[in-house]
């Protein structure tokens, strides 16, 4: 019963993170009118790091184990990967493309994580999972092709950056899960965010010539990105990630395209074209097909001599 309750809380945590993150594409698109993509990341994650630092200080008497020097280096590396590198690609990709494209392309991230897991662990990929990968790849290609036809080279390049972001996110999931073993979710998220914020502060210097004080609306949206999407989202996601496999956690993020597209339509006034929507549906279908084989494998009895996956 306790195990079921723990798993239920983990699933709910990742679902809540997905709901927060699903709104970030539309919100970021609005803020980009006043603030550069690298500066958005610097402000967002610096504020988040300060808030998380206060939380860690309040919990300094917590019995949770502190990371040793090697673990701390890996945690900081995961922060640079999953925060600085990923959000640089995401923010620039959203600026060049659209919030709806970003929301649909993110549906291919679970299979990217699964593929990287398989490559790192050197396990065999079942036939249905191969079909799922090919199907999701075709769906992503459809979304990117639609972006090129409608928005030209800039939107196409933005979509490609968003796809590269998926590979970076997959690496973050695997490294973060390995580096964060036995760590408190708040402390883990704090160290990752500090490293990510430092990387963004350095990168934002490239936009120093364009710095200006954002308006009231942009400031409020930046605060939302920092508090809800960064602090809330990463805390919830890290809590769930440490209690399930990384590919299953990322698969729950398939909620992001659904709510993300709705946000792009409602908040940004974007129009979702049929090829774009079809591409998103094909991606989700491919992910579902790949996970169908995963569930069947997990419930099947292990045959002597074949080993386990």
């Amino acid at each position: 019963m306790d195990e079921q309750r723990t798993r239920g809380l983990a699933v709910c945590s990742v679902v809540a993170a997905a709901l927060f993150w699903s709104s970030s594409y539309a919100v970021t698109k609005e803020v980009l009118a006043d603030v550069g993509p690298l500066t958005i990341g610097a402000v967002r994650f610096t504020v988040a790091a300060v808030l998380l630092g206060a939380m860690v200080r309040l919990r300094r008497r917590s019995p949770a184990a502190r990371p040793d020097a090697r673990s701390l280096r890996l945690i900081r590396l995961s922060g640079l990967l999953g925060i600085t590198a990923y959000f640089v690609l995401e923010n620039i990709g959203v600026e060049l493309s659209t919030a709806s494209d970003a929301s649909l392309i993110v549906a291919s991230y679970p299979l990217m994580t699964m593929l990287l897991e398989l490559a790192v662990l050197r396990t065999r990929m079942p036939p249905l999972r191969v079909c799922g990968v090919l199907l999701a790849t075709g769906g992503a290609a459809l979304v990117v092709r639609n972006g090129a036809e409608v928005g030209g080279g800039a939107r196409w390049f933005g979509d490609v950056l968003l796809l590269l972001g998926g590979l970076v996110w997959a690496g973050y999931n695997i490294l973060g899960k390995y580096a964060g073993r036995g760590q408190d979710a708040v402390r883990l998220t704090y160290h990752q965010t500090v490293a990510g914020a430092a990387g963004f502060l350095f990168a934002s210097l490239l936009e120093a010539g364009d710095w200006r004080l954002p308006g009231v609306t942009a400031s409020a949206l930046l605060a939302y990105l920092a508090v809800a999407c960064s602090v809330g989202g990463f805390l919830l996601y890290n809590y769930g990630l440490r209690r399930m496999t990384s590919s299953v956690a990322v698969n729950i993020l398939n909620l992001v395209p659904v709510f993300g597209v709705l946000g792009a339509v409602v908040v940004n006034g974007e129009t979702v074209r049929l090829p774009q929507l079809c591409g998103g549906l094909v991606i989700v279908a491919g992910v579902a097909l790949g996970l169908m084989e995963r569930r069947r494998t997990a419930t099947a009895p292990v045959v002597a001599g074949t080993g386990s996956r």
Side-chain angles (χ1 to χ4, degrees), residues 214-225:
V216 175
T217 301
S219 298
L221 292 177
L222 275 171
Y224 173 81
L225 287 172

Side-chain angles (χ1 to χ4, degrees), residues 248-262:
V248 171
V250 178
N251 183 57
I252 296 175
L253 298 186
N254 283 323
L255 291 170
V256 171
V258 178
F259 292 103
V261 169
L262 288 175

Side-chain angles (χ1 to χ4, degrees), residues 173-195:
N173 273 276
I174 294 174
L175 180 59
K177 185 175 178 64
Y178 173 77
R181 287 181 299 184
Q183 297 300 318
D184 173 70
V186 175
R187 195 181 299 275
L188 171 65
T189 307
Y190 166 69
H191 287 301
Q192 289 177 328
T193 304
V194 167

Side-chain angles (χ1 to χ4, degrees), residues 134-146:
L134 295 176
L135 193 59
T137 302
L142 188 58
V143 172
V144 174
R145 179 182 178 184
N146 173 74

Side-chain angles (χ1 to χ4, degrees), residues 276-301:
Q276 190 181 8
L277 184 60
C278 288
L281 292 174
V282 170
I283 291 172
V284 173
V287 172
L289 187 61
L291 290 174
M292 187 183 303
E293 178 68 25
R294 188 181 187 90
R295 286 195 299 271
R296 286 178 56 192
T297 302
T299 56

Side-chain angles (χ1 to χ4, degrees), residues 21-33 94-95 97-103 217 221 225 259-272 276:
W21 287 341
S22 67
S23 64
S24 67
Y25 304 105
V27 172
T28 298
K29 191 69 175 179
E30 289 295 300
V31 179
L32 281 166
V94 170
E95 182 180 40
S97 185
T98 64
S100 55
D101 270 15
S103 299
T217 301
L221 292 177
L225 287 172
F259 292 103
V261 169
L262 288 175
V265 172
V266 174
V267 177
N268 307 119
E270 295 180 7
T271 300
V272 181
Q276 190 181 8

